[in-house]
Amino acid sequence: MSLFSIFSVAGSGMAAQSTRLNTVASNLANADSVASSPEAAYRAREPLFAAIRNQLDAGGNTTGEGVQVLGVTESQAAIPSRYEPGNPLADADGYVYASNVNPVDELVNMISASRSYQNNVEVMNSTRQLMQKTLDLGK
Amino acid sequence: MIPATNNLFGIHTQALDVWQRRTEVLANNLANADTPGYLARDLDFRKALAAAGGPTGGVALETDAPGQISSAAQAASTLAYRIPTQPSMDGNTVDAQVEQAAFAANGVHYQASLSFITAQIRMLRTAISGGQG
Protein backbone atom coordinates (compact mmCIF):
# COMPACT_ATOMS: atom_id res chain seq x y z
CA MET A 1 0.00 0.00 0.00
CA SER A 2 1.50 3.27 -1.06
CA LEU A 3 -0.08 5.21 1.80
CA PHE A 4 2.80 3.80 3.82
CA SER A 5 5.33 5.77 1.80
CA ILE A 6 3.62 9.00 2.89
CA PHE A 7 4.90 8.30 6.39
CA SER A 8 8.48 8.29 5.12
CA VAL A 9 7.84 11.41 3.01
CA ALA A 10 6.32 13.35 5.92
CA GLY A 11 8.98 11.87 8.22
CA SER A 12 11.77 13.16 6.00
CA GLY A 13 10.10 16.59 6.05
CA MET A 14 9.95 16.53 9.84
CA ALA A 15 13.58 15.43 10.12
CA ALA A 16 14.68 18.23 7.76
CA GLN A 17 12.70 20.86 9.65
CA SER A 18 14.05 19.67 12.99
CA THR A 19 17.59 20.00 11.60
CA ARG A 20 16.68 23.56 10.66
CA LEU A 21 15.32 24.23 14.17
CA ASN A 22 18.52 22.75 15.56
CA THR A 23 20.71 25.17 13.58
CA VAL A 24 18.46 28.07 14.65
CA ALA A 25 18.93 27.06 18.30
CA SER A 26 22.69 26.79 17.80
CA ASN A 27 22.83 30.19 16.06
CA LEU A 28 20.77 31.96 18.71
CA ALA A 29 22.79 30.38 21.52
CA ASN A 30 26.00 31.62 19.90
CA ALA A 31 24.68 35.05 18.88
CA ASP A 32 26.86 36.77 21.48
CA SER A 33 29.89 34.48 21.33
CA VAL A 34 33.22 36.24 20.74
CA ALA A 35 36.56 34.93 19.52
CA SER A 36 40.10 36.30 19.26
CA SER A 37 40.34 36.03 15.45
CA PRO A 38 37.88 36.39 12.52
CA GLU A 39 38.58 32.75 11.52
CA ALA A 40 37.62 31.43 14.95
CA ALA A 41 34.45 33.55 15.20
CA TYR A 42 31.10 31.73 15.08
CA ARG A 43 29.37 31.89 11.71
CA ALA A 44 25.60 31.45 11.35
CA ARG A 45 24.69 28.02 10.06
CA GLU A 46 21.88 27.06 7.73
CA PRO A 47 20.88 23.64 6.37
CA LEU A 48 20.58 23.09 2.62
CA PHE A 49 17.40 21.26 1.56
CA ALA A 50 16.97 19.26 -1.63
CA ALA A 51 14.15 17.10 -2.94
CA ILE A 52 14.84 13.35 -3.20
CA ARG A 53 14.04 12.38 -6.77
CA ASN A 54 13.45 8.71 -7.38
CA GLN A 55 12.46 6.88 -10.53
CA LEU A 56 8.81 6.27 -11.21
CA ASP A 57 7.81 2.63 -10.85
CA ALA A 58 5.83 0.66 -13.45
CA GLY A 59 2.52 2.06 -12.25
CA GLY A 60 3.77 5.63 -12.54
CA ASN A 61 3.90 5.93 -8.76
CA THR A 62 6.46 8.09 -7.07
CA THR A 63 8.09 5.79 -4.55
CA GLY A 64 9.93 6.99 -1.49
CA GLU A 65 10.35 10.63 -2.31
CA GLY A 66 10.77 13.31 0.27
CA VAL A 67 13.28 15.92 1.30
CA GLN A 68 16.87 15.54 2.40
CA VAL A 69 19.41 17.77 4.10
CA LEU A 70 22.36 18.02 1.71
CA GLY A 71 24.55 19.71 4.27
CA VAL A 72 24.91 22.64 6.61
CA THR A 73 26.33 25.84 5.15
CA GLU A 74 28.03 28.66 7.06
CA SER A 75 27.07 32.27 6.46
CA GLN A 76 29.68 34.31 4.55
CA ALA A 77 28.50 37.62 6.01
CA ALA A 78 31.16 39.92 7.44
CA ILE A 79 32.35 39.18 10.98
CA PRO A 80 31.89 42.28 13.15
CA SER A 81 34.84 43.31 15.33
CA ARG A 82 34.63 45.27 18.59
CA TYR A 83 37.32 47.16 20.47
CA GLU A 84 37.36 45.57 23.94
CA PRO A 85 40.90 45.67 25.36
CA GLY A 86 39.68 44.41 28.73
CA ASN A 87 38.28 41.19 27.26
CA PRO A 88 40.49 38.16 28.00
CA LEU A 89 39.84 36.97 24.41
CA ALA A 90 41.02 40.25 22.84
CA ASP A 91 43.85 40.03 20.28
CA ALA A 92 47.11 42.05 20.38
CA ASP A 93 45.30 45.19 19.12
CA GLY A 94 42.50 44.83 21.67
CA TYR A 95 39.79 43.62 19.29
CA VAL A 96 37.34 40.74 19.77
CA TYR A 97 35.39 39.20 16.87
CA ALA A 98 31.69 38.54 17.35
CA SER A 99 29.46 36.09 15.47
CA ASN A 100 27.64 37.14 12.27
CA VAL A 101 24.29 35.73 13.48
CA ASN A 102 21.31 37.94 12.62
CA PRO A 103 18.71 37.26 15.36
CA VAL A 104 15.84 38.54 13.18
CA ASP A 105 16.73 36.07 10.42
CA GLU A 106 16.92 33.29 12.96
CA LEU A 107 13.51 34.04 14.49
CA VAL A 108 11.91 34.16 11.03
CA ASN A 109 13.59 30.84 10.23
CA MET A 110 12.31 29.38 13.49
CA ILE A 111 8.68 30.36 12.78
CA SER A 112 8.88 29.01 9.22
CA ALA A 113 10.47 25.75 10.38
CA SER A 114 7.90 25.12 13.10
CA ARG A 115 4.98 25.83 10.74
CA SER A 116 6.40 23.44 8.14
CA TYR A 117 6.94 20.82 10.84
CA GLN A 118 3.30 21.18 11.90
CA ASN A 119 2.19 20.77 8.28
CA ASN A 120 4.07 17.47 8.06
CA VAL A 121 2.59 16.25 11.36
CA GLU A 122 -0.88 17.10 10.01
CA VAL A 123 -0.18 15.12 6.82
CA MET A 124 0.89 12.14 8.90
CA ASN A 125 -2.20 12.31 11.12
CA SER A 126 -4.57 12.54 8.14
CA THR A 127 -2.86 9.61 6.44
CA ARG A 128 -3.09 7.55 9.61
CA GLN A 129 -6.84 8.24 9.75
CA LEU A 130 -7.29 7.31 6.09
CA MET A 131 -5.42 4.05 6.63
CA GLN A 132 -7.50 3.27 9.71
CA LYS A 133 -10.69 3.88 7.71
CA THR A 134 -9.40 1.58 4.96
CA LEU A 135 -8.67 -1.16 7.49
CA ASP A 136 -12.19 -0.80 8.86
CA LEU A 137 -13.64 -1.30 5.37
CA GLY A 138 -16.81 -3.39 5.38
CA LYS A 139 -17.34 -3.32 9.13
CA MET B 1 -6.90 -7.47 -10.24
CA ILE B 2 -9.77 -9.99 -10.49
CA PRO B 3 -12.37 -8.78 -13.00
CA ALA B 4 -15.21 -9.90 -10.71
CA THR B 5 -14.04 -7.52 -8.01
CA ASN B 6 -13.76 -4.83 -10.64
CA ASN B 7 -17.43 -5.17 -11.53
CA LEU B 8 -18.42 -5.46 -7.90
CA PHE B 9 -17.03 -2.16 -6.73
CA GLY B 10 -17.18 -0.39 -10.08
CA ILE B 11 -14.94 2.57 -10.58
CA HIS B 12 -14.31 3.07 -6.88
CA THR B 13 -11.29 0.76 -6.55
CA GLN B 14 -9.47 2.68 -9.29
CA ALA B 15 -10.64 5.98 -7.84
CA LEU B 16 -9.27 4.95 -4.44
CA ASP B 17 -5.95 4.16 -6.06
CA VAL B 18 -5.81 7.57 -7.75
CA TRP B 19 -6.76 9.46 -4.56
CA GLN B 20 -4.06 7.55 -2.75
CA ARG B 21 -1.45 8.54 -5.33
CA ARG B 22 -2.59 12.13 -5.15
CA THR B 23 -2.22 12.06 -1.35
CA GLU B 24 1.37 10.94 -1.89
CA VAL B 25 2.10 13.74 -4.38
CA LEU B 26 0.60 16.38 -2.08
CA ALA B 27 2.50 15.02 0.94
CA ASN B 28 5.65 15.39 -1.13
CA ASN B 29 4.81 19.01 -1.90
CA LEU B 30 4.31 19.78 1.78
CA ALA B 31 7.53 18.00 2.78
CA ASN B 32 9.41 20.12 0.23
CA ALA B 33 7.70 23.39 1.20
CA ASP B 34 11.11 24.96 2.01
CA THR B 35 13.29 23.30 -0.62
CA PRO B 36 14.82 25.86 -3.00
CA GLY B 37 13.86 25.28 -6.62
CA TYR B 38 11.25 22.62 -5.87
CA LEU B 39 8.28 22.74 -8.24
CA ALA B 40 4.94 21.74 -6.72
CA ARG B 41 3.13 18.98 -8.60
CA ASP B 42 -0.39 17.68 -8.71
CA LEU B 43 -2.32 14.85 -10.28
CA ASP B 44 -4.96 15.36 -12.95
CA PHE B 45 -7.71 13.12 -11.55
CA ARG B 46 -9.55 12.67 -14.85
CA LYS B 47 -6.40 11.71 -16.76
CA ALA B 48 -5.14 9.46 -13.97
CA LEU B 49 -8.44 7.63 -13.73
CA ALA B 50 -8.48 7.19 -17.50
CA ALA B 51 -4.93 5.79 -17.32
CA ALA B 52 -6.05 3.42 -14.55
CA GLY B 53 -8.69 2.02 -16.92
CA GLY B 54 -11.65 4.12 -15.92
CA PRO B 55 -14.69 4.73 -18.12
CA THR B 56 -13.54 8.13 -19.37
CA GLY B 57 -10.62 6.68 -21.28
CA GLY B 58 -10.75 4.97 -24.65
CA VAL B 59 -8.88 1.84 -25.61
CA ALA B 60 -5.50 1.57 -23.90
CA LEU B 61 -2.49 2.23 -26.09
CA GLU B 62 -0.70 -0.99 -27.00
CA THR B 63 3.03 -0.98 -27.66
CA ASP B 64 4.80 -3.61 -29.69
CA ALA B 65 8.27 -2.09 -29.76
CA PRO B 66 10.48 -0.84 -26.94
CA GLY B 67 10.81 2.91 -26.96
CA GLN B 68 7.20 3.54 -27.75
CA ILE B 69 5.09 5.38 -25.21
CA SER B 70 4.15 2.78 -22.61
CA SER B 71 1.13 2.86 -20.35
CA ALA B 72 3.51 3.53 -17.43
CA ALA B 73 4.76 6.65 -19.16
CA GLN B 74 1.15 7.67 -19.76
CA ALA B 75 0.43 7.28 -16.06
CA ALA B 76 3.49 9.34 -15.17
CA SER B 77 2.41 12.09 -17.54
CA THR B 78 -0.71 12.63 -15.43
CA LEU B 79 1.53 14.47 -12.97
CA ALA B 80 1.60 18.17 -13.78
CA TYR B 81 3.35 21.18 -12.32
CA ARG B 82 1.23 23.62 -10.41
CA ILE B 83 1.01 27.20 -11.71
CA PRO B 84 2.28 29.30 -8.80
CA THR B 85 0.09 32.12 -7.56
CA GLN B 86 2.87 33.68 -5.49
CA PRO B 87 6.28 32.64 -6.84
CA SER B 88 9.12 32.99 -4.35
CA MET B 89 12.67 34.15 -4.96
CA ASP B 90 14.25 30.73 -4.34
CA GLY B 91 12.24 29.15 -7.19
CA ASN B 92 9.99 27.13 -4.88
CA THR B 93 6.38 27.02 -6.10
CA VAL B 94 4.82 25.27 -3.07
CA ASP B 95 2.02 27.35 -1.59
CA ALA B 96 1.39 25.72 1.81
CA GLN B 97 -2.23 26.92 2.00
CA VAL B 98 -3.10 25.62 -1.46
CA GLU B 99 -1.47 22.27 -0.71
CA GLN B 100 -3.20 21.97 2.66
CA ALA B 101 -6.58 22.70 1.11
CA ALA B 102 -5.95 20.16 -1.67
CA PHE B 103 -4.79 17.59 0.88
CA ALA B 104 -7.92 18.05 3.00
CA ALA B 105 -10.21 17.81 -0.06
CA ASN B 106 -8.32 14.76 -1.23
CA GLY B 107 -8.86 13.05 2.13
CA VAL B 108 -12.61 13.67 1.92
CA HIS B 109 -12.72 12.25 -1.63
CA TYR B 110 -10.80 9.18 -0.47
CA GLN B 111 -13.30 8.66 2.35
CA ALA B 112 -16.18 9.12 -0.10
CA SER B 113 -14.80 6.32 -2.29
CA LEU B 114 -14.41 4.18 0.83
CA SER B 115 -18.05 4.84 1.79
CA PHE B 116 -19.23 3.71 -1.63
CA ILE B 117 -17.30 0.46 -1.28
CA THR B 118 -18.58 -0.04 2.27
CA ALA B 119 -22.15 0.47 1.07
CA GLN B 120 -21.60 -2.12 -1.65
CA ILE B 121 -20.23 -4.62 0.88
CA ARG B 122 -23.18 -3.97 3.19
CA MET B 123 -25.61 -4.53 0.35
CA LEU B 124 -23.94 -7.83 -0.54
CA ARG B 125 -24.00 -8.89 3.10
CA THR B 126 -27.72 -8.16 3.25
CA ALA B 127 -28.23 -10.19 0.06
CA ILE B 128 -26.23 -13.12 1.44
CA SER B 129 -27.93 -13.19 4.82
CA GLY B 130 -31.34 -12.43 3.33
CA GLY B 131 -31.83 -9.49 5.65
CA GLN B 132 -31.54 -11.75 8.71
CA GLY B 133 -28.08 -10.54 9.84
Side-chain angles (χ1 to χ4, degrees), chain A residues 2-12 123-124 127, chain B residues 20-25 27-28 103:
Chain A
S2 68
L3 277 180
F4 274 118
S5 68
I6 295 173
F7 286 103
S8 69
V9 168
S12 73
V123 165
M124 224 181 230
T127 309
Chain B
Q20 187 176 291
R21 266 186 58 205
R22 186 159 183 245
T23 316
E24 208 178 324
V25 173
N28 236 315
F103 194 86

Side-chain angles (χ1 to χ4, degrees), chain A residues 17 19-21 27 30 33 38 43 47 73 79 83 108 116 134:
Chain A
Q17 297 301 340
T19 308
R20 192 167 163 210
L21 272 179
N27 290 346
N30 282 297
S33 299
R43 287 176 180 274
T73 56
I79 297 286
Y83 184 62
V108 169
S116 298
T134 314

Side-chain angles (χ1 to χ4, degrees), chain A residues 10-45:
Chain A
S12 73
M14 282 159 74
Q17 297 301 340
S18 73
T19 308
R20 192 167 163 210
L21 272 179
N22 211 327
T23 56
V24 168
S26 166
N27 290 346
L28 284 177
N30 282 297
D32 292 322
S33 299
V34 291
S36 40
S37 72
E39 291 76 36
Y42 182 86
R43 287 176 180 274
R45 277 154 207 199

Side-chain angles (χ1 to χ4, degrees), chain B residues 42-91:
Chain B
D42 202 352
L43 204 77
D44 187 331
F45 182 76
R46 193 182 294 273
K47 272 193 209 164
L49 196 62
T56 47
V59 182
L61 186 68
E62 282 201 21
T63 60
D64 49 13
Q68 281 189 335
I69 299 169
S70 67
S71 56
Q74 274 184 303
S77 71
T78 56
L79 277 181
Y81 291 106
R82 204 185 283 294
I83 297 167
T85 48
Q86 300 173 60
S88 60
M89 268 175 80
D90 64 357

Side-chain angles (χ1 to χ4, degrees), chain A residues 49-127:
Chain A
F49 291 171
I52 303 172
R53 295 222 180 274
N54 280 2
Q55 290 280 313
L56 297 174
D57 67 11
N61 293 314
T62 48
T63 46
E65 277 199 54
V67 63
Q68 60 181 333
V69 180
L70 278 186
V72 178
T73 56
E74 287 193 333
S75 163
Q76 295 306 308
I79 297 286
S81 58
R82 282 202 305 267
Y83 184 62
E84 280 183 22
N87 197 313
L89 281 173
D91 63 4
D93 300 324
Y95 282 96
V96 290
Y97 300 89
S99 72
N100 62 356
V101 174
N102 183 347
V104 178
D105 276 356
E106 299 306 326
L107 287 174
V108 169
N109 246 332
M110 184 181 76
I111 293 167
S112 170
S114 60
R115 289 288 174 273
S116 298
Y117 190 93
Q118 284 171 17
N119 268 343
N120 281 304
V121 171
E122 234 11 82
V123 165
M124 224 181 230
N125 272 336
S126 306
T127 309

Side-chain angles (χ1 to χ4, degrees), chain B residues 2 7-9 23 33 46 55 65 89 96 99 107 119 127 132:
Chain B
I2 311 159
N7 296 335
L8 196 57
F9 299 124
T23 316
R46 193 182 294 273
M89 268 175 80
E99 302 301 332
Q132 307 291 315

